[in-house]
Amino acid sequence: MFIWLLIMNFSSLCSALLLLFRLAMMSKLELKEDKMLEVQFVGDDDVLNHILDREGGAKLKKERAQLLVNTKKIIKKPEYDLEEDDQEVLKDQNYVEVLGQDIQESLKNGSAADGGNKVYSFQNRKHSEKMAKLASELAKTPRKNVSVNLKNDPEIMINIPQCSKGHSASDKVQVKNNDKSEFLSTAPSGIRKRLIVPRSHSDSESEYSASNSEDDEGVAQEYEEDTNEVILSQKIPSQNRVVSAPVCKGTPSKKMKRDKTSDLVEEYFEAHSSSKVLTSDRTLQKLKRAKLDQQTLRNLLSKVSPSFSAELKQLNQQYEQLFHKWMLQLRLGFNIVLFGLGSKRDLLERFRTTVLQDSIHVVINGFFPGISVKSILNSITEEVLDHMGTFRSVLDQLDWIVNKFKEDSSLELFLLIHNLDSQMLRGDKSQQIIGQLSSLRNIYLIASIDHLNAPLMWDHAKQSLYNWLWYETTTYSPYTEETSYENSLLVKQSGSLPLSSLTHVLRSLTPNARGIFRLLIKYQLDNQDNPSYIGLSFQDFYQQCREAFLVNSDLTLRAQLTEFRDHKLIRTKKGTDGVEYLLIPVDNGTLTDFLEKEEEES
Amino acid sequence: MATSSVSKGCFVFKPNFKKRKISVPVEDYFNKGKNESEDSKLRFETYQLIWQQMKSETEQLQEELNKNLFNSLIEFLQQSYSGFHKNSRDWGCQIKLREIPTAALILDMKHFLQKLVSKLMNCCVDEESKEESIQVTQKKTFCSMDSLSSWYMSVTQKTDPKLPRKKRTSSSQWQSPPVVLILKDLESFTTKVLQDFIIISSQHLHEFPLILIFGIATSPIIIHRLLPHAVSSLLCIELFQSLSCKEHLTTVLDKLLLTTQFPFKLSEKVLQILTNIFLYHDFSIQNFIKGLQLSLLEHFYSQPLSVLCCNLSEAKRRINFLSENQCENIRRLPSFRRHVEKQASEKQVALLTNERFLKEEIQSLLENLHVYHTNYFLVLRCLHQFTSSLPKYPLGRQIRELYCTCLEKNIWDSEEYASALQLLRMLAKDELMTILQKCFKVFKSSSEKQLGSTAKRIEEFLAQFQSLDEAKEEEDTSGLQSKGLQKTDLYHLQKSLLEMKELRRTSKKQTRFEALREKVVNFIDSLVREYLLPPETQPLHEVMYFSAAHTLRAHLNAAPRIALHTALNNPYYYLKNEALKSEEGCIPNVAPDICIAYKLHLECSRLINLVDWSEAFATVVTAAEKMDANSITSEERNEIIHARFIRAVSELELLGFIKPTKQKTDHVARLTWGGC
């Protein structure tokens, strides 16, 4: 045990932890004869397995079988201890067989090999250019399928020294990423990898931050580094031979498993270890077609002919057949939640028009940015129940509604909520209130969720309020309506709106005021490459304005600035020296456009 | 009226009043949208009936289970109440007055508290409602303990004459009733508030009698974790513990499934799913019942023959009204087909052609099924008596586990059963006798003729054991030996088993006790082999058993993440288009935009450069588009592709895969690790 502690001294804390895991596994195997120790380590081991399995959710069955065999092997010996644990202790295998089957089935066609792994595994650190590479691969062979991870022969890894430059490096990365590194060498890959981490990290900062660098030099460096690694990694096994040899001999399958577990853990830390992210520095501004507003976007998209319309139609028909069943289940006290990829708005809309025409119903667009529980309750009290009073609080209102519905059992209300998991509704309180509404016998709720973590909104209490029945409705339809509101889109759209508002506001100003603003814009644009630019100080600004004959006293400038501030055209910030700095909170691209437009007009 | 607008998010639709009145009855939805609507009305009625029965049964069960607890709680409340009124001046009482009587309820059932609240409300409805209304007004002005106690004084004085005295007969003088405060979910309270409240209110206890009731879902330790000693010493805590949820489940199963009262049964898979959801996910009886309700509904909804799933006499009546289609349905049942194949050829023909003959056969088959169930549960319980006390529980400790194994396969083929029998062969006499007595009771409780003889047999066995006792023979030694055996562990058991084998080989002589024990075990074994056949072997079992486990799993234990993952990674799974067919882990470039964008984003680490992403996307998409001849100019096409990219990205944002970030310009951050 002493040696191990030494090793721990020069590794970082987290990798030391990993090492400990690994060591625990190894020494467990090594000391198989020694019963006392073995028992002690089985604990760790099992814990790790459990963690993994929980995360893995549904692993490949075969893998699990292996695992079970292994644990059995270990457990079998002390079996005659007659422990008092009843077999209520939950059997994982059992669980997966019963509840995980569906998952396995669904993954069977496609990502069969390690489905569960794929979904829940940690991510590998990827080469920064991998995306482009993958894209070109996908593009190169149209119609034909390209395997995402090039399955290179593991040989390559060992052959690195002979390989040609550029490729070997990236190949190696891929092989490493391939999760198949278990096969590669007898060396505990964990240790080898850990050695790589800090190195590649520090190197990459220098080479990669400006990414996009296709210069051979970087690659060559990397290549050298790789060979280094190989050498290092070959050294280490020789040191560890005592340990690693029995591991390989004894239970190869187990070792594989172990490697996998530690790989996953290590990969996670690897990916999170570097604070610097390796991406290229290109920005959308340099691309000319960066800006599209909502309208043009729609126009453009309308020109795209949807593919697979026949199949989509078929899917939708399949779901439409469920309408009556949904109605039945809603009426019998269940509530229905729809999930799956694609907008479910149209589907629910069709549901509404086909079966809900004759009953009172409320459609709630959760994706609407201004939605709130209050507005939902208001529309129920005011429009459904025709109540004109006001309420002290939301809870009061809820109580009132609940009482009303309990009193009058002939009252029936259907709630259709698109995107129950939207920003505005996902809060705990909102969910509680909607849940309480839905638990009423004569309020029927059918909702859709899209966010990948949506089910986390509900704890057991809420789930029992909702009494959900889950229906998978994957439609692949575009989320047109859901993403159409300004805030749900990325930067590209936000450019157009400020621009138009800028011009509108400035048009209403005096020429002098416009001049003042233009001065500020120009100054900001001049400084756009200065990363430490925090704004133009008031004094400097005043000086400049005076020189341009725009103001005659600092009072007039202040008055002008107040007006700008009211229109949210500028922002003031106190610097570290206590001086006020002025800044236009609009991105530089928009400002450039604005200046160009101004010049055109004048 | 459209349902999208930039100014509001809620749209109310109210049909005209006249139209609304004709609301569609529920059963109409039951048969609509279904092609084979055979006897749907009848089926729905049967569903309603059975469900109502099951529901009332469970409610009654819960009532019973909670009765004790509730009674003792009421008693506690009364006692602590009377404590307030002993105006004695002795010290002990004064000290006690500083302590707030507290009941800590350890609960596994959520709705128990709701029931409790409703019951308590019955007792002191007046006060509570008043308290509420007044407190609300005070919230605005100034809320202090003083105002609260003065309010309390005024309320008790005012309402004193007309206080409801219907329930409390024992404490006739109910001068100033204590205020009962129920903290439903103790764990979720902020400790600071709770501590302060307890300290303050303990100061005012003499003028504001207060009783606290804590609802605790975990363990009583939580009280001490939440409240420091200084605070918890102000409480006079009494603990009430409700039944554990596992026991609750056992009783529910016992009442609903392991009985012939309800014709509806669950298949092994379904039962496994329900119990697993219970054990692994929520420990919620309510959810279990919900699952049961869903399976009941699904069964009646999807199986046209479920019309026969009712009690025997009613089913016999209904058989006569079976339509031609339904007869055909029966003939198509796999279990019935198997049954027919076993018959003689002329009978086969008659069954397949003659409706009357078929109906008679169905009647007798249903009768058989009924008898089968009666025997099944008796023998199952009997077997459970034997196996539930074995060391290591080879066949499970709970009867539901045994039931599951029996439903799944021939239990006597399983290894566990063999080892259980082996262990049974080593039971000591007194143990064996107690078990036999229990079994005797099980059989006695039923009045079935078929198994009446069994009860008699068991009685005989018991008598024989008794006589063994009286006529103490030279077998003492071996009797002692076996007695010594049963308390040891498995290893020693096996060892001694081997020894015994050895012994037997050397001296073939068996003591009388051993012989008798052997007989009993063989008898049980024969019972099991005769009666515990898996239901699949029974003709017409489809009528009673709900087996569509996958639908149940899909609706109760859905996996939205997996669905998303599959849809994004493998569009072919949903869109059965040959162009989308792909090998594992790859995706054709004609796939939906979002799939391509998703696949590309998987290649990135924490941050994604939008420019790179969009270029990669464009590369893939243009390659795919080249296949279709298009005449649009390249500039416009680029625009369109860019628009498609924007759409895909914002959709991924909506789905929660990425989010905008300010760490670097024009970058988005990934929110997931790994494939999904």
Side-chain angles (χ1 to χ4, degrees):
Chain A
M1 285 317 252
F2 196 64
I3 306 165
W4 305 118
L5 288 173
L6 276 177
I7 290 173
M8 275 166 58
N9 278 340
F10 57 77
S11 18
S12 71
L13 187 66
C14 70
S15 48
L17 265 172
L18 297 174
L19 195 62
L20 215 60
F21 263 133
R22 172 166 292 279
L23 291 179
M25 290 168 215
M26 285 176 175
S27 47
K28 188 211 75 206
L29 291 166
E30 187 189 20
L31 300 169
K32 213 161 188 180
E33 265 62 55
D34 193 336
K35 245 218 219 113
M36 254 275 284
L37 264 174
E38 185 193 353
V39 172
Q40 193 185 340
F41 282 116
V42 167
D44 284 0
D45 199 14
D46 275 359
V47 167
L48 193 62
N49 274 337
H50 274 271
I51 295 167
L52 230 201
D53 290 345
R54 286 287 129 73
E55 264 152 16
K59 280 261 166 59
L60 226 202
K61 228 173 194 169
K62 213 206 268 168
E63 251 176 43
R64 185 170 290 279
Q66 265 173 5
L67 173 70
L68 281 172
V69 168
N70 287 333
T71 40
K72 232 180 228 166
K73 219 183 273 170
I74 299 163
I75 292 166
K76 219 153 215 172
K77 274 183 205 166
E79 202 165 328
Y80 38 78
D81 286 345
L82 199 120
E83 329 151 42
E84 210 10 89
D85 64 283
D86 40 323
Q87 33 53 282
E88 294 266 326
V89 173
L90 314 165
K91 297 171 224 151
D92 275 357
Q93 187 193 20
N94 191 4
Y95 175 78
V96 168
E97 268 172 14
V98 176
L99 290 175
Q101 234 163 37
D102 194 32
I103 295 158
Q104 273 163 13
E105 274 161 28
S106 72
L107 287 168
K108 208 168 271 167
N109 32 17
S111 43
D114 31 13
N117 263 341
K118 277 261 171 66
V119 186
Y120 294 112
S121 69
F122 293 118
Q123 189 222 21
N124 310 322
R125 166 190 265 167
K126 294 274 164 60
H127 195 284
S128 62
E129 282 161 66
K130 260 205 105 180
M131 188 157 72
K133 204 169 167 191
L134 172 68
S136 61
E137 272 151 19
L138 281 172
K140 252 183 248 159
T141 46
R143 295 289 173 200
K144 250 200 107 184
N145 311 313
V146 179
S147 149
V148 171
N149 26 10
L150 295 171
K151 279 186 186 156
N152 284 311
D153 228 21
E155 300 280 301
I156 290 171
M157 160 79 185
I158 297 141
N159 292 339
I160 276 173
Q162 293 110 7
C163 265
S164 68
K165 279 188 182 180
H167 261 293
S168 67
S170 55
D171 279 347
K172 201 223 136 215
V173 174
Q174 284 192 336
V175 172
K176 197 168 78 189
N177 291 341
N178 238 351
D179 250 14
K180 259 139 202 161
S181 48
E182 299 98 52
F183 303 124
L184 295 187
S185 67
T186 52
S189 65
I191 296 172
R192 191 188 67 233
K193 273 201 171 167
R194 212 168 308 106
L195 283 167
I196 300 168
V197 184
R199 292 169 54 82
S200 64
H201 165 42
S202 58
D203 286 334
S204 50
E205 269 179 27
S206 59
E207 326 170 346
Y208 273 172
S209 60
S211 149
N212 231 21
S213 57
E214 273 135 57
D215 47 338
D216 265 8
E217 213 180 281
V219 182
Q221 254 182 29
E222 195 188 313
Y223 157 66
E224 259 173 40
E225 195 188 307
D226 285 340
T227 46
N228 261 347
E229 280 159 19
V230 172
I231 293 162
L232 267 172
S233 62
Q234 277 165 352
K235 257 184 210 163
I236 289 158
S238 62
Q239 283 168 357
N240 293 342
R241 184 142 297 161
V242 201
V243 186
S244 55
V247 174
C248 306
K249 234 197 286 169
T251 43
S253 66
K254 188 184 267 175
K255 191 198 165 240
M256 250 175 71
K257 180 78 198 166
R258 295 285 170 275
D259 270 2
K260 203 156 230 164
T261 65
S262 50
D263 274 358
L264 288 177
V265 179
E266 279 160 27
E267 274 160 16
Y268 178 81
F269 284 108
E270 257 181 60
H272 277 88
S273 60
S274 64
S275 54
K276 190 90 179 171
V277 192
L278 317 174
T279 50
S280 78
D281 288 335
R282 300 193 294 168
T283 54
L284 286 167
Q285 271 174 45
K286 288 171 193 162
L287 259 80
K288 271 294 155 215
R289 70 182 118 79
K291 277 158 238 130
L292 288 175
D293 60 26
Q294 198 61 48
Q295 198 50 47
T296 33
L297 187 71
R298 262 190 205 194
N299 290 342
L300 284 171
L301 286 175
S302 66
K303 288 178 196 159
V304 184
S305 57
S307 44
F308 311 114
S309 43
E311 286 82 4
L312 288 174
K313 207 174 156 198
Q314 204 183 334
L315 267 183
N316 274 318
Q317 276 169 356
Q318 215 174 301
Y319 303 137
E320 274 164 40
Q321 279 166 8
L322 293 170
F323 282 175
H324 284 289
K325 199 171 176 186
W326 289 351
M327 272 309 266
L328 175 72
Q329 285 168 338
L330 285 173
R331 297 288 286 264
L332 290 175
F334 298 103
N335 291 312
I336 286 175
V337 59
L338 308 179
F339 64 93
L341 182 67
S343 169
K344 290 157 279 286
R345 217 182 97 84
D346 293 339
L347 187 71
L348 279 177
E349 199 58 19
R350 249 171 290 140
F351 173 73
R352 186 178 78 80
T353 45
T354 45
V355 288
L356 287 186
Q357 274 315 318
D358 294 337
S359 35
I360 315 175
H361 53 276
V362 180
V363 178
I364 295 147
N365 291 339
F367 49 83
F368 178 69
I371 196 87
S372 66
V373 181
K374 181 84 184 152
S375 58
I376 297 175
L377 293 182
N378 277 344
S379 56
I380 294 178
T381 49
E382 283 164 21
E383 296 186 56
V384 178
L385 300 174
D386 297 320
H387 176 79
M388 278 308 137
T390 50
F391 294 92
R392 219 176 270 114
S393 70
V394 181
L395 287 178
D396 266 359
Q397 199 168 2
L398 179 71
D399 282 344
W400 189 83
I401 295 174
V402 169
N403 283 334
K404 198 84 183 170
F405 273 93
K406 273 184 181 157
E407 279 166 20
D408 186 1
S409 59
S410 69
L411 215 54
E412 284 187 334
L413 175 66
F414 286 85
L415 290 179
L416 267 96
I417 305 184
H418 304 290
N419 283 79
L420 185 57
D421 56 345
S422 68
Q423 281 290 350
M424 299 304 294
L425 295 181
R426 68 174 64 145
D428 194 53
K429 276 209 176 117
S430 322
Q431 289 297 325
Q432 180 72 29
I433 288 171
I434 299 175
Q436 260 162 345
L437 275 184
S438 73
S439 67
L440 287 177
R441 211 179 43 78
N442 35 8
I443 289 189
Y444 314 110
L445 172 65
I446 179 163
S448 67
I449 55 167
D450 286 298
H451 197 279
L452 133 115
N453 292 325
L456 298 181
M457 292 187 295
W458 304 312
D459 54 12
H460 284 310
K462 287 198 198 74
Q463 263 177 6
S464 70
L465 279 179
Y466 276 118
N467 202 19
W468 288 129
L469 285 187
W470 297 76
Y471 274 90
E472 183 184 336
T473 51
T474 301
T475 59
Y476 281 102
S477 14
Y479 292 97
T480 329
E481 199 66 44
E482 287 90 329
T483 57
S484 68
Y485 293 96
E486 179 70 16
N487 64 346
S488 64
L489 282 164
L490 293 172
V491 251
K492 280 142 284 146
Q493 272 72 42
S494 59
S496 62
L497 209 69
L499 185 61
S500 61
S501 43
L502 261 186
T503 39
H504 273 294
V505 172
L506 285 192
R507 241 174 238 158
S508 65
L509 295 175
T510 60
N512 262 14
R514 252 181 277 175
I516 295 173
F517 195 68
R518 206 176 300 130
L519 254 181
L520 191 58
I521 293 179
K522 274 186 184 144
Y523 188 79
Q524 186 158 334
L525 286 179
D526 288 343
N527 280 296
Q528 63 177 324
D529 294 328
N530 179 6
S532 59
Y533 173 74
I534 51 165
L536 178 58
S537 73
F538 180 76
Q539 278 310 320
D540 292 350
F541 194 30
Y542 176 56
Q543 205 57 43
Q544 286 185 23
C545 288
R546 268 186 84 97
E547 280 162 15
F549 301 115
L550 290 169
V551 292
N552 53 8
S553 73
D554 77 335
L555 268 183
T556 31
L557 180 59
R558 280 208 189 276
Q560 200 56 62
L561 289 182
T562 318
E563 195 174 345
F564 287 156
R565 206 178 293 139
D566 290 345
H567 283 107
K568 299 213 164 68
L569 288 179
I570 57 162
R571 223 171 41 201
T572 48
K573 223 198 273 177
K574 277 258 164 71
T576 43
D577 47 356
V579 182
E580 239 184 323
Y581 288 96
L582 306 168
L583 198 73
I584 306 175
V586 179
D587 67 309
N588 294 332
T590 318
L591 290 181
T592 329
D593 285 354
F594 174 71
L595 278 186
E596 277 169 16
K597 230 178 180 178
E598 282 273 277
E599 271 153 30
E600 267 171 36
E601 276 172 19
S602 60
Chain B
M1 203 158 117
T3 56
S4 76
S5 146
V6 286
S7 58
K8 66 183 215 173
C10 293
F11 305 88
V12 177
F13 295 88
K14 266 173 113 170
N16 324 338
F17 193 71
K18 267 183 197 164
K19 247 184 178 175
R20 206 195 313 157
K21 273 290 142 189
I22 333 155
S23 70
V24 189
V26 190
E27 55 261 39
D28 277 19
Y29 294 113
F30 194 82
N31 45 33
K32 263 189 212 167
K34 199 77 179 145
N35 299 332
E36 31 190 348
S37 51
E38 292 294 333
D39 303 319
S40 61
K41 197 163 184 275
L42 206 55
R43 255 155 56 203
F44 184 71
E45 276 163 15
T46 330
Y47 159 77
Q48 290 280 45
L49 186 75
I50 295 186
W51 171 236
Q52 284 310 326
Q53 282 173 350
M54 280 185 161
K55 208 170 138 191
S56 63
E57 187 82 18
T58 47
E59 272 163 10
Q60 202 186 331
L61 199 71
Q62 265 153 7
E63 198 94 333
E64 262 168 48
L65 288 174
N66 294 335
K67 212 165 158 190
N68 278 338
L69 189 61
F70 187 74
N71 284 342
S72 53
L73 196 66
I74 291 282
E75 203 171 299
F76 166 78
L77 286 180
Q78 274 167 5
Q79 265 174 11
S80 50
Y81 158 74
S82 62
F84 285 117
H85 283 270
K86 271 184 206 146
N87 258 340
S88 55
R89 268 162 238 139
D90 63 272
W91 258 98
C93 230
Q94 279 193 353
I95 289 171
K96 229 187 161 185
L97 278 180
R98 269 288 142 91
E99 295 177 344
I100 308 171
T102 309
L105 284 168
I106 317 293
L107 291 170
D108 287 312
M109 294 154 289
K110 263 175 236 142
H111 46 95
F112 170 77
L113 261 186
Q114 282 161 15
K115 199 155 270 173
L116 180 75
V117 171
S118 67
K119 281 207 177 180
L120 281 178
M121 290 288 245
N122 280 341
C123 307
C124 35
V125 154
D126 276 11
E127 294 102 292
E128 295 217 4
S129 57
K130 250 178 208 141
E131 176 185 30
E132 252 170 50
S133 61
I134 289 174
Q135 259 182 343
V136 170
T137 53
Q138 277 187 343
K139 223 176 259 169
K140 279 182 190 161
T141 56
F142 177 69
C143 195
S144 75
M145 211 60 200
D146 284 334
S147 57
L148 199 64
S149 53
S150 64
W151 159 80
Y152 175 76
M153 292 298 272
S154 65
V155 165
T156 42
Q157 270 158 20
K158 246 194 298 179
T159 55
D160 212 16
K162 44 182 172 169
L163 262 175
R165 278 178 210 160
K166 30 190 172 174
K167 290 243 162 176
R168 315 286 170 121
T169 43
S170 56
S171 56
S172 50
Q173 285 307 306
W174 188 260
Q175 285 170 356
S176 52
V179 176
V180 179
L181 196 68
I182 301 173
L183 308 180
K184 233 177 170 180
D185 194 2
L186 187 69
E187 287 94 333
S188 62
F189 276 91
T190 23
T191 47
K192 191 79 182 83
V193 173
L194 201 61
Q195 285 168 19
D196 288 351
F197 174 74
I198 290 172
I199 292 171
I200 294 172
S201 52
S202 82
Q203 297 294 321
H204 292 264
L205 202 58
H206 55 283
E207 49 196 21
F208 187 69
L210 181 73
I211 300 179
L212 294 177
I213 298 181
F214 295 157
I216 300 171
T218 47
S219 77
I221 305 166
I222 196 83
I223 297 177
H224 301 288
R225 208 172 289 160
L226 283 178
L227 307 172
H229 179 72
V231 176
S232 62
S233 61
L234 293 173
L235 302 174
C236 166
I237 300 175
E238 200 162 319
L239 207 68
F240 300 91
Q241 191 135 19
S242 73
L243 202 65
S244 97
C245 59
K246 271 196 250 168
E247 284 166 53
H248 197 160
L249 178 71
T250 315
T251 34
V252 167
L253 277 179
D254 209 54
K255 280 274 184 302
L256 296 185
L257 291 177
L258 302 176
T259 166
T260 46
Q261 190 191 343
F262 301 107
F264 174 71
K265 298 276 178 297
L266 296 178
S267 76
E268 187 259 342
K269 282 263 163 60
V270 176
L271 188 62
Q272 282 274 21
I273 284 176
L274 287 182
T275 48
N276 273 10
I277 290 178
F278 179 84
L279 292 173
Y280 287 86
H281 290 253
D282 49 14
F283 286 124
S284 159
I285 295 287
Q286 216 176 332
N287 271 356
F288 185 84
I289 303 283
K290 170 190 167 190
L292 200 64
Q293 185 192 1
L294 182 65
S295 18
L296 191 70
L297 178 61
E298 279 288 329
H299 181 61
F300 280 97
Y301 187 75
S302 54
Q303 172 64 270
L305 288 173
S306 57
V307 69
L308 296 179
C309 182
C310 51
N311 61 40
L312 191 59
S313 52
E314 178 65 24
K316 275 182 179 168
R317 203 178 61 77
R318 285 184 189 177
I319 288 170
N320 295 324
F321 300 107
L322 281 186
S323 68
E324 215 163 297
N325 266 345
Q326 286 282 53
C327 290
E328 210 42 53
N329 280 336
I330 286 191
R331 289 190 185 117
R332 255 183 256 134
L333 284 184
S335 69
F336 186 75
R337 288 230 294 268
R338 251 176 281 142
H339 173 73
V340 169
E341 275 157 26
K342 278 184 215 149
Q343 308 301 320
S345 59
E346 59 263 36
K347 205 181 169 191
Q348 277 185 13
V349 175
L351 279 176
L352 293 179
T353 53
N354 189 340
E355 210 166 280
R356 178 171 298 274
F357 190 71
L358 176 77
K359 281 179 181 173
E360 275 166 23
E361 182 72 11
I362 295 170
Q363 262 188 12
S364 74
L365 284 178
L366 276 185
E367 236 166 88
N368 285 349
L369 202 59
H370 185 76
V371 172
Y372 160 79
H373 277 136
T374 327
N375 296 340
Y376 190 94
F377 293 122
L378 283 176
V379 176
L380 187 75
R381 276 170 215 277
C382 174
L383 180 64
H384 178 65
Q385 295 294 352
F386 274 95
T387 57
S388 60
S389 55
L390 292 179
K392 294 291 270 182
Y393 311 100
L395 284 172
R397 191 185 236 176
Q398 304 282 355
I399 194 162
R400 68 180 134 81
E401 294 159 85
L402 187 66
Y403 185 45
C404 269
T405 357
C406 290
L407 283 178
E408 192 190 357
K409 57 189 176 199
N410 290 337
I411 189 169
W412 53 90
D413 291 337
S414 68
E415 232 173 86
E416 290 86 9
Y417 181 76
S419 68
L421 274 196
Q422 211 144 36
L423 288 169
L424 279 181
R425 291 207 171 88
M426 275 170 280
L427 278 182
K429 199 179 88 182
D430 47 354
E431 270 185 314
L432 205 57
M433 274 176 73
T434 46
I435 291 173
L436 277 177
Q437 257 147 10
K438 279 186 205 155
C439 291
F440 181 64
K441 263 182 218 151
V442 169
F443 284 115
K444 253 284 146 60
S445 64
S446 78
S447 52
E448 272 314 302
K449 298 142 221 157
Q450 283 90 345
L451 283 171
S453 60
T454 320
K456 217 170 275 169
R457 280 290 294 281
I458 291 176
E459 210 172 8
E460 277 170 28
F461 280 130
L462 276 172
Q464 278 170 340
F465 276 119
Q466 216 86 50
S467 65
L468 267 185
D469 227 9
E470 280 150 20
K472 267 200 175 179
E473 284 168 300
E474 81 283 15
E475 57 178 303
D476 264 340
T477 46
S478 68
L480 267 178
Q481 195 183 6
S482 63
K483 208 167 199 167
L485 274 177
Q486 47 88 24
K487 277 278 146 73
T488 56
D489 56 4
L490 197 67
Y491 171 71
H492 289 287
L493 212 59
Q494 279 170 344
K495 214 163 133 187
S496 48
L497 195 73
L498 284 177
E499 272 171 17
M500 267 169 63
K501 244 187 193 164
E502 206 66 20
L503 205 86
R504 218 168 277 168
R505 207 170 291 154
T506 48
S507 61
K508 275 275 175 180
K509 188 178 70 178
Q510 229 177 356
T511 61
R512 268 186 61 193
F513 166 70
E514 279 168 338
L516 198 55
R517 188 171 61 190
E518 189 69 30
K519 249 192 205 165
V520 171
V521 173
N522 286 342
F523 172 65
I524 293 300
D525 189 34
S526 68
L527 272 185
V528 168
R529 280 166 199 266
E530 192 177 346
Y531 295 111
L532 285 189
L533 291 160
E536 277 88 69
T537 57
Q538 303 300 313
L540 293 190
H541 71 88
E542 288 94 337
V543 171
M544 313 271 185
Y545 282 83
F546 173 67
S547 55
H550 55 97
T551 51
L552 202 63
R553 203 190 305 118
H555 296 327
L556 289 181
N557 196 38
R561 262 183 106 117
I562 300 285
L564 265 187
H565 178 260
T566 321
L568 287 168
N569 268 313
N570 183 22
Y572 180 71
Y573 183 74
Y574 295 98
L575 307 171
K576 301 283 180 209
N577 189 314
E578 286 306 308
L580 287 173
K581 220 167 189 174
S582 63
E583 296 154 28
E584 183 233 323
C586 41
I587 195 165
N589 53 21
V590 290
D593 291 346
I594 188 169
C595 300
I596 292 171
Y598 169 79
K599 207 75 195 175
L600 290 171
H601 111 291
L602 284 184
E603 301 303 316
C604 296
S605 64
R606 279 184 297 158
L607 291 185
I608 307 170
N609 185 317
L610 278 172
V611 183
D612 288 350
W613 196 4
S614 100
E615 272 183 5
F617 181 80
T619 326
V620 177
V621 174
T622 17
E625 289 220 328
K626 267 186 194 133
M627 304 308 290
D628 343 315
N630 55 22
S631 52
I632 329 169
T633 59
S634 73
E635 187 45 42
E636 196 178 354
R637 205 182 58 202
N638 281 347
E639 288 259 286
I640 290 177
I641 288 175
H642 191 63
R644 282 166 65 186
F645 171 70
I646 290 174
R647 180 173 64 184
V649 168
S650 33
E651 284 176 358
L652 282 179
E653 190 193 344
L654 181 84
L655 293 176
F657 284 101
I658 52 167
K659 66 164 188 191
T661 177
K662 286 197 171 132
Q663 280 183 42
K664 218 171 166 185
T665 41
D666 290 333
H667 274 65
V668 288
R670 276 191 71 180
L671 294 174
T672 52
W673 288 100
C676 195

